[in-house]
Amino acid sequence: MNRHSLFLCVILLFTALSGLQAQVNRNGQAIASNVQGDDIFYHTIERGQTVYSIATMYGVSPDDIYRLNPGSKEGIRAGDVLKVPQRDVAVNPVEADGSDNFIYHTIQPKETLYSLSKRYNVVAQDIVRANPGLTVLKYGQTIRIPATRIEELPTTEVKTVQKELEYTVERRETLYRISRKFNMSTAELIRLNPQLKDGLKEGMVLKIPMQSEEVVTEDVSRPMSEREVNALLTETKPVERVDLMKVALLLPFSTTERQAIPRFVEYYEGLLLAVDSLKNRGCSLELSVYDTGDGLTKVNQILNEPALQEANLIIGAVQNDQIHRVSEFAQEKQIKYVIPFTSRNDDVLSNAYAYQVNIPHSYLYANAAKAGCDLFANDNIIILKIGDKDEKTEFVQTFKSEMEQRSIPHKELAFARETFVDDIQKLLDSERRNIVLPTSSSLEALNNIRSHLRMLSEVAYNDHPPYSINLFGYPEWQTYTQHALDDLYALNTYIYSLFYADNLSPDVQSFYANYKNKYSKNLINTFPKYGMLGFDTAMFFFDALRQYGTNFEANLDKIDHKSLQTGFNFERVNNWGGFINTNVFIVQYRDDYTVVRNNIR
């Protein structure tokens, strides 16, 4: 080999290695190449996701993930990349609703909607419809591609067409009567007919918007240009406003779990207070309430009711089989569906109309761990290993993993009752704040350490001046305030929680008063309080419907409900699925006897 040939080989080898390096993530794992294989695609892990949720999202098993990614059995981290097996549409036939008739694609550099449409020979609009959360193509994100090719598609389709008709005002008609007749607001009627500002008169000709379904033949003579295709992702959808909001509430008032019935009744009562609040603002709402009982018998009957067929919003169902059936119905009818209670349901992973209020534990722990690291990155963190029945193993592990990723040091101590004070003093730092996280959420664990930590923070011990000590703990601690409130204040305690109500705030006290005045009773002493949960959930989604219509998903971040107990920050789980509430509170009990609640998103 001559010198020139050797020089050329070195250049080619360097180029090849450079290209390979561009396809490696921060942990040195190989990620998607520019040419995706037919048998696998790639998934970038997001905060809070688990192997189970990722496998469920793509219709494969966790073992399929483990087989291709052996290291994932030991745990996964946000930002890492997993190989995922591509489902074989021929082997896994399409379900009745077409939900499985897709292949998955990992976006590569410089790919566009137009290039994907050409590559897979699929109509661009169908790709957009299959991924309702898709507004921009980002390298590494996953989308689904309909398996139907262009040549298999019909050349006609039914489309909703917006038209205007002319309506002549009859004698004694009012603006309100006309707006109700055509299911529109009076403000919209005046906007389209400015002459109404001078008053409504008999014989006036008004413009009325009307929607009708027409069979439209596709124009195949002129295909869309590349620019027109790519613009589909950023196309603004008109707000689909509703004048009369139609809401269906489904709760198990006759469940065999009789101890739960009072909580569901209270949820309903709290929701009714939200209905009253909305009507006091002059809004129209029609609420239909149904008893789901247990199992599917009543649910299947309810879903045949006209009120369900015409609903804008469905709230409720408790049991997983009920939720799944209602979710299928909501997806088929394109109705927004709120899942208010469970955090362990998979329907939100594949239903773009589903909204899960109760945050899954993996997301809760991930967000709480992130918040803890943000707050305590420069402090002396001590994890106190308790070893009782209420161990928070998953959260502690998530917190330790987050600290490891950020190179935040921490210390660990096994709790021993007889020597605890001397043991922990050896780990305390005189120059920094000391953050103590017990691994258990039990009252017993808290009782074993709180007075000792308070003593170390307030008086000299072993000739050492007091230390700066803070506790970091769990949602359950809110229920221990009768026993430990003074110590929680004295230790400037932080807790993470999905729920928190400040009983001293004017808004919460007003809610308590309104509830007692309307129902002649107090809220049940549970955590969380179901009456507040019903009120907060209803106020958020009623406001969403009122302000932004039935397609409010594009404006979720603009809904400004000052919650009593539950915060809301809905994030779409993937480009084709629904939304989960990822809001977490960090609550601090301060030594000046005040409580501060901060939203963590």
Side-chain angles (χ1 to χ4, degrees):
M1 183 181 292
N2 61 36
R3 184 173 55 185
H4 296 291
S5 298
L6 179 61
F7 180 70
L8 180 59
C9 287
V10 170
I11 292 177
L12 290 174
L13 178 61
F14 177 78
T15 304
L17 289 173
S18 299
L20 180 61
Q21 188 177 9
Q23 302 299 320
V24 170
N25 74 356
R26 57 183 170 78
N27 294 316
Q29 294 176 311
I31 62 175
S33 64
N34 285 330
V35 180
Q36 177 171 296
D38 293 332
D39 56 342
I40 63 168
F41 59 97
Y42 295 82
H43 174 87
T44 301
I45 302 165
E46 296 183 8
R47 188 180 300 276
Q49 289 182 334
T50 64
V51 170
Y52 173 81
S53 68
I54 294 167
T56 304
M57 187 186 302
Y58 296 118
V60 299
S61 73
D63 284 340
D64 290 329
I65 304 288
Y66 295 142
R67 177 173 52 82
L68 291 175
N69 310 270
S72 62
K73 267 198 169 182
E74 306 302 319
I76 60 174
R77 300 191 304 182
D80 288 350
V81 176
L82 294 176
K83 296 177 183 177
V84 183
Q86 192 75 255
R87 289 195 65 175
D88 188 341
V89 177
V91 175
N92 300 285
V94 62
E95 299 290 341
D97 64 354
S99 60
D100 286 334
N101 200 15
F102 300 99
I103 58 175
Y104 295 94
H105 178 85
T106 307
I107 300 299
Q108 299 299 307
K110 299 183 180 179
E111 282 189 323
T112 65
L113 182 60
Y114 181 81
S115 69
L116 290 172
S117 174
K118 292 297 184 183
R119 172 175 176 173
Y120 288 100
N121 198 27
V122 172
V123 173
Q125 290 91 331
D126 286 352
I127 298 177
V128 173
R129 278 191 288 268
N131 299 274
L134 192 64
T135 56
V136 63
L137 295 184
K138 296 179 183 177
Y139 172 53
Q141 73 179 157
T142 304
I143 65 171
R144 60 182 190 177
I145 307 288
T148 307
R149 300 296 181 253
I150 288 178
E151 58 267 24
E152 299 169 351
L153 298 174
T155 57
T156 62
E157 62 177 320
V158 177
K159 288 188 177 180
T160 301
V161 180
Q162 186 83 12
K163 293 185 175 182
E164 281 187 355
L165 64 81
E166 292 185 343
Y167 177 77
T168 303
V169 178
E170 299 178 358
R171 187 180 181 188
R172 295 182 180 176
E173 281 197 304
T174 64
L175 279 178
Y176 178 76
R177 180 180 172 187
I178 295 173
S179 62
R180 290 297 297 271
K181 185 173 185 177
F182 293 103
N183 193 28
M184 61 187 299
S185 66
T186 54
E188 181 71 4
L189 189 62
I190 294 172
R191 188 184 68 80
L192 294 170
N193 301 274
Q195 68 271 29
L196 290 175
K197 293 179 181 178
D198 298 325
L200 182 70
K201 299 177 183 178
E202 180 185 354
M204 290 179 77
V205 178
L206 304 179
K207 295 178 181 178
I208 305 293
M210 293 292 291
Q211 289 186 342
S212 62
E213 289 189 343
E214 295 184 2
V215 177
V216 179
T217 302
E218 294 179 355
D219 180 11
V220 297
S221 60
R222 190 193 73 82
M224 295 178 68
S225 69
E226 182 173 0
R227 182 176 180 181
E228 289 171 325
V229 168
N230 292 334
L232 291 173
L233 289 178
T234 55
E235 196 171 65
T236 304
K237 295 180 180 178
V239 174
E240 299 172 0
R241 296 194 181 277
V242 289
D243 193 38
L244 174 64
M245 292 182 281
K246 298 180 180 181
V247 180
L249 177 66
L250 282 59
L251 292 174
F253 298 119
S254 61
T255 177
T256 54
E257 296 182 23
R258 302 198 62 81
Q259 72 279 6
I261 293 175
R263 297 200 297 269
F264 296 127
V265 170
E266 183 175 289
Y267 182 91
Y268 171 40
E269 293 167 340
L271 187 142
L272 285 179
L273 290 178
V275 173
D276 292 343
S277 177
L278 195 73
K279 288 184 175 179
N280 289 338
R281 301 184 200 177
C283 301
S284 299
L285 187 143
E286 181 179 280
L287 178 66
S288 303
V289 184
Y290 298 92
D291 175 16
T292 60
D294 294 322
L296 292 176
T297 303
K298 285 189 175 181
V299 169
N300 286 328
Q301 294 171 353
I302 292 167
L303 295 181
N304 287 322
E305 292 284 336
L308 268 291
Q309 304 283 332
E310 300 169 3
N312 308 123
L313 181 70
I314 300 173
I315 302 175
V318 175
Q319 299 167 0
N320 268 341
D321 58 344
Q322 295 177 341
I323 293 172
H324 181 64
R325 179 68 190 95
V326 177
S327 178
E328 287 181 330
F329 173 85
Q331 189 170 29
E332 176 190 348
K333 301 295 183 181
Q334 300 184 3
I335 300 169
K336 298 296 190 294
Y337 175 38
V338 179
I339 304 170
F341 304 115
T342 184
S343 63
R344 300 179 179 180
N345 184 270
D346 300 331
D347 290 272
V348 71
L349 297 174
S350 57
N351 183 352
Y353 296 89
Y355 292 77
Q356 186 169 303
V357 171
N358 202 348
I359 183 172
H361 283 172
S362 60
Y363 285 87
L364 173 63
Y365 295 155
N367 287 356
K370 175 183 179 297
C373 286
D374 289 343
L375 285 166
F376 312 134
N378 298 316
D379 299 320
N380 180 39
I381 301 172
I382 302 172
I383 295 179
L384 186 58
K385 297 185 285 187
I386 303 295
D388 69 11
K389 61 182 178 61
D390 294 322
E391 290 291 293
K392 289 287 189 177
T393 305
E394 188 178 347
F395 169 71
V396 173
Q397 185 56 48
T398 303
F399 186 46
K400 289 167 69 173
S401 178
E402 183 79 17
M403 287 191 289
E404 180 186 346
Q405 285 185 266
R406 299 202 200 183
S407 299
I408 299 174
H410 74 277
K411 302 171 184 175
E412 297 190 23
L413 172 67
F415 173 75
R417 189 189 307 271
E418 295 78 9
T419 60
F420 172 63
V421 175
D422 290 330
D423 291 343
I424 198 165
Q425 188 185 21
K426 295 173 184 176
L427 301 183
L428 295 175
D429 191 318
S430 303
E431 306 298 324
R432 292 185 294 165
R433 186 170 63 160
N434 298 276
I435 307 298
V436 178
L437 169 68
T439 58
S440 168
S441 63
S442 70
L443 176 59
E444 182 182 2
L446 184 60
N447 284 340
N448 283 334
I449 65 174
R450 59 189 173 93
S451 59
H452 297 302
L453 292 177
R454 182 170 179 180
M455 182 267 293
L456 287 168
S457 70
E458 293 180 344
V459 299
Y461 181 77
N462 286 345
D463 298 324
H464 195 287
Y467 296 90
S468 174
I469 301 175
N470 293 65
L471 269 176
F472 181 33
Y474 306 99
E476 291 86 346
W477 288 8
Q478 296 177 70
T479 64
Y480 306 154
T481 53
Q482 183 179 351
H483 307 278
L485 184 59
D486 281 347
D487 291 326
L488 294 180
Y489 279 129
L491 292 166
N492 288 285
T493 302
Y494 293 87
I495 65 171
Y496 69 86
S497 183
L498 173 59
F499 307 105
Y500 178 78
D502 180 1
N503 291 329
L504 299 180
S505 76
D507 289 337
V508 171
Q509 290 186 338
S510 176
F511 178 84
Y512 283 142
N514 290 340
Y515 182 89
K516 186 168 186 177
N517 182 59
K518 187 174 180 70
Y519 302 114
S520 302
K521 61 179 180 180
N522 294 319
L523 292 168
I524 304 170
N525 188 24
T526 59
F527 173 79
K529 288 184 165 45
Y530 274 60
M532 286 189 188
L533 179 61
F535 180 83
D536 279 335
T537 303
M539 287 300 295
F540 181 87
F541 284 100
F542 291 172
D543 265 354
L545 268 177
R546 179 179 63 86
Q547 296 183 66
Y548 303 108
T550 56
N551 57 341
F552 57 70
E553 63 272 11
N555 295 285
L556 288 170
D557 59 334
K558 300 176 185 175
I559 301 165
D560 186 24
H561 167 59
K562 187 179 180 182
S563 70
L564 301 177
Q565 177 184 245
T566 308
F568 299 101
N569 181 51
F570 285 99
E571 294 183 2
R572 199 184 284 273
V573 293
N574 51 49
N575 284 310
W576 57 92
F579 297 81
I580 59 171
N581 180 20
T582 63
N583 187 85
V584 175
F585 293 129
I586 292 293
V587 180
Q588 185 184 13
Y589 295 83
R590 294 181 169 178
D591 57 10
D592 61 358
Y593 293 93
T594 61
V595 180
V596 177
R597 184 184 79 176
N598 291 312
N599 292 58
I600 305 298
R601 299 184 172 186

